[in-house]
Amino acid sequence: MYQFIFSVVCISMAMNFQAQKQELNWVGKSNRIVNPGAESNSSGEPLHWKTDYARGSESNWVSEYGVTSHEWNHGAVKAGLPTQPGANYFRLTVDKYNETRKLNIYQSIRIDDLHATLLVDTVMANFSCWIGSSYTTKTNCSFAEVKVIFKDGSGNPLDSIYIKKTPGEFRDLDAGTPEAEERGFNVMHEMKQFSLWHELPKNSKEALVFVYCEYPCEKFIEESEEESEGEHANTFFFDNFSLGIIKK
């Protein structure tokens, strides 16, 4: 009962935030990020996003909700999904092998149009995104970082917004339920929304949205019968990236 009430409160808060966001007086577009929900993609690669890493064995950096095993496949039940999820989400997997320990995607956004406004007004940026984790094992050493780095005209960093998440910060929403035991696995991964306001530095000309995942354990962990996949690999989910700017 308490869990149900908590879920209703969280959903209500998310809806209120979305309503407030609609009413804000944005400078330019309310969301300056292109392809914020991975709806545009080519063979599993999100368009308008770049990476410093070869794709290697991973082919589904973009996935459809309810298609990939273990992910939200509950038909009409939308528990665990972000608000207005669309069809796709970003799906970044890292594991214990040297060639797949690190992965990133990023997008550079020009904000030159704000130059005159920044000289005379206080300008605030709102960044938000939804993040989830395939595994929720606290001993899993993987982590995800999301940064928005504000740069000057020469590309020098001025300031940033920073979010870091680990598997143990998320819940498996149907863990231990009869349905999960019958299936033999859980599919109700929790996705959380994170939203931050930050004042833009006066000389800002560019915003770099940088998403980074890593499995940093120094020692190679050997697979054994006692060790689950949740110890030596993880998939982080991302959706609905948003970067909007207003005058304070």
Side-chain angles (χ1 to χ4, degrees):
M1 181 64 178
Y2 289 112
Q3 185 175 359
F4 173 76
I5 294 173
F6 177 76
S7 298
V8 171
V9 170
C10 288
I11 293 170
S12 177
M13 290 174 64
M15 292 178 66
N16 287 338
F17 173 78
Q18 291 295 329
Q20 291 171 6
K21 202 171 178 185
Q22 299 272 339
E23 297 172 1
L24 291 173
N25 185 19
W26 301 104
V27 180
K29 295 181 179 179
S30 61
N31 185 8
R32 292 173 177 249
I33 297 175
V34 182
N35 193 23
E39 301 304 315
S40 300
N41 65 92
S42 175
S43 301
E45 183 175 0
L47 300 180
H48 305 290
W49 293 83
K50 297 180 180 180
T51 182
D52 293 320
Y53 298 91
R55 297 179 71 196
S57 60
E58 181 64 40
S59 61
N60 55 345
W61 291 8
V62 174
S63 186
E64 296 180 40
Y65 281 108
V67 172
T68 306
S69 178
H70 298 252
E71 293 162 13
W72 305 284
N73 192 11
H74 273 225
V77 180
K78 300 300 183 184
L81 293 178
T83 305
Q84 298 178 331
N88 301 334
Y89 61 95
F90 297 87
R91 186 177 191 274
L92 304 183
T93 299
V94 288
D95 57 35
K96 65 181 182 179
Y97 302 104
N98 289 332
E99 65 273 16
T100 48
R101 282 178 177 263
K102 301 177 181 179
L103 181 61
N104 70 17
I105 57 172
Y106 57 90
Q107 183 177 143
S108 180
I109 302 163
R110 299 301 302 180
I111 51 177
D112 306 75
D113 59 298
L114 298 171
H115 179 68
T117 305
L118 282 167
L119 292 178
V120 296
D121 290 308
T122 297
V123 179
M124 303 294 295
N126 174 255
F127 175 74
S128 65
C129 66
W130 289 76
I131 304 175
S133 175
S134 179
Y135 295 104
T136 57
T137 313
K138 293 185 183 299
T139 52
N140 186 308
C141 69
S142 65
F143 65 86
E145 293 180 329
V146 182
K147 302 178 184 177
V148 181
I149 305 170
F150 301 106
K151 300 182 178 182
D152 63 17
S154 300
N156 300 311
L158 300 172
D159 204 349
S160 65
I161 295 172
Y162 179 70
I163 299 169
K164 180 178 180 179
K165 295 297 160 187
T166 58
E169 297 179 63
F170 298 90
R171 296 179 300 149
D172 213 328
L173 298 179
D174 67 343
T177 63
E179 293 80 8
E181 293 177 5
E182 183 179 343
R183 289 191 303 267
F185 53 82
N186 302 322
V187 298
M188 300 284 278
H189 303 302
E190 177 185 39
M191 289 193 78
K192 295 181 179 180
Q193 185 182 34
F194 302 92
S195 179
L196 297 170
W197 287 94
H198 197 84
E199 183 177 344
L200 261 68
K202 293 297 184 184
N203 296 326
S204 298
K205 296 292 182 67
E206 175 189 356
L208 177 67
V209 180
F210 190 86
V211 183
Y212 176 80
C213 300
E214 183 177 345
Y215 181 88
C217 293
E218 295 181 7
K219 184 179 179 181
F220 183 89
I221 301 176
E222 297 291 345
E223 294 185 47
S224 68
E225 293 182 3
E226 293 78 23
E227 183 191 40
S228 68
E229 185 180 355
E231 295 291 337
H232 57 77
N234 193 37
T235 299
F236 287 100
F237 314 120
F238 306 89
D239 202 0
N240 293 359
F241 290 103
S242 178
L243 178 65
I245 295 167
I246 65 167
K247 292 190 293 184
K248 190 173 179 180

